[in-house]
Amino acid sequence: MSHTRPRRRLKHGWPELLAAAQRGIDPATSRQTLAEYGNANMKLALRGLQPKTTDPYLAGWKLRVVPSLGHLPVPAVTNGAVDRSVYGWIADGEGRSTVKNTLAVLVRVMQQAVRDGLTDVNPARVVGWQSQYKQAQDELDDPRALALRDFAQLQRPAGALVAASYDRYAGWGDVVVFMACTATRIGATSSVRVHDIDPVNWIWTVRRQTTPSPSGSPTSTPRAKSPAAHR
């Protein structure tokens, strides 16, 4: 009769935690979100800068980096995630200097994370992002260039999301269709209430948006200065 002790599979993430511990890194620190890590180490990351520089950097951190990437664990902040965030800021109409300052603070925070051993590379060193302004302008001149050909094409990504979701929840597909047909962001869609929709004229008045963050999902006023209506 064998007395070999049964093997137990390590939970997901344990190899990374063990590797971090072997390097002398507190496992709790290695799993911090970008927002938590940045807020705790911002003074160190911005050392040597003048107050006139830190102010726009901190604004970029609070208004753009944290809403876009703050929920991710530091090691999960990839080049692709940063690329998509940068393009999102450009598409939202942020100017070159605003995006430059936002990237600058992200570069400094991620460089501090490299020094602390939380990640091997700095994914925030994005190159060529300024060329996206011309592409964004071209798309504004011809917005139909990005449109799906018909409703059947929209059903394909909606169906794929349902198929990949837990228990094949059909609601995710409805969210995709709803957002595509109303041309709204996920924050506004997450905040929709029954009384926001006029079922007679089929007009949805966007009055709020919900943004995921490390401390929860706070609801705020939409980015537009006044409520927007979508038919």
Side-chain angles (χ1 to χ4, degrees):
M1 182 175 179
S2 174
H3 294 284
T4 303
R5 301 177 70 178
R7 295 181 179 179
R8 293 189 302 173
R9 297 183 62 184
L10 291 176
K11 295 181 179 179
H12 178 70
W14 270 75
E16 292 82 357
L17 292 176
L18 291 174
Q22 290 172 351
R23 298 197 306 271
I25 301 172
D26 185 338
T29 301
S30 68
R31 300 306 297 169
Q32 278 187 320
T33 64
L34 177 63
E36 292 169 340
Y37 176 80
N39 291 336
N41 295 277
M42 188 61 69
K43 185 176 181 179
L44 187 60
L46 299 185
R47 63 188 180 279
L49 295 180
Q50 298 295 324
K52 65 179 181 180
T53 302
T54 60
D55 286 346
Y57 279 22
L58 291 174
W61 173 262
K62 179 180 179 181
L63 299 178
R64 282 166 290 280
V65 175
V66 170
S68 298
L69 300 165
H71 62 289
L72 296 174
V74 174
V77 180
T78 62
N79 295 95
V82 175
D83 288 344
R84 287 186 287 274
S85 294
V86 170
Y87 187 76
W89 300 333
I90 294 172
D92 285 341
E94 303 294 355
R96 283 181 173 84
S97 62
T98 298
V99 174
K100 181 179 179 181
N101 288 333
T102 303
L103 269 176
V105 69
L106 180 57
V107 166
R108 281 182 164 263
V109 170
M110 291 306 300
Q111 192 59 38
Q112 186 59 46
V114 171
R115 294 191 185 97
D116 286 338
L118 301 184
T119 184
D120 295 329
V121 296
N122 189 335
R125 298 190 182 281
V126 181
V127 296
W129 59 270
Q130 297 196 34
S131 64
Q132 296 295 328
Y133 278 94
K134 183 180 184 304
Q135 180 180 343
Q137 187 60 51
D138 292 343
E139 291 165 357
L140 287 174
D141 294 339
D142 184 18
R144 294 299 302 172
L146 296 179
L148 296 174
R149 184 168 58 249
D150 50 37
F151 189 73
Q153 277 203 331
L154 173 59
Q155 293 290 73
R156 292 175 60 188
L161 180 59
V162 171
S165 66
Y166 175 75
D167 205 24
R168 299 178 65 87
Y169 178 57
W172 294 122
D174 296 336
V175 170
V176 172
V177 173
F178 184 82
M179 291 178 62
C181 293
T182 55
T184 47
R185 299 183 178 92
I186 186 62
T189 305
S190 300
S191 302
V192 64
R193 303 289 186 271
V194 172
H195 61 267
D196 294 335
I197 299 178
D198 174 4
V200 176
N201 299 301
W202 290 114
I203 295 177
W204 167 31
T205 302
V206 181
R207 296 186 172 90
R208 67 194 72 80
Q209 67 177 15
T210 299
T211 305
S213 70
S215 58
S217 298
T219 298
S220 59
T221 55
R223 296 188 182 188
K225 296 188 181 301
S226 57
H230 296 266
R231 184 181 295 273

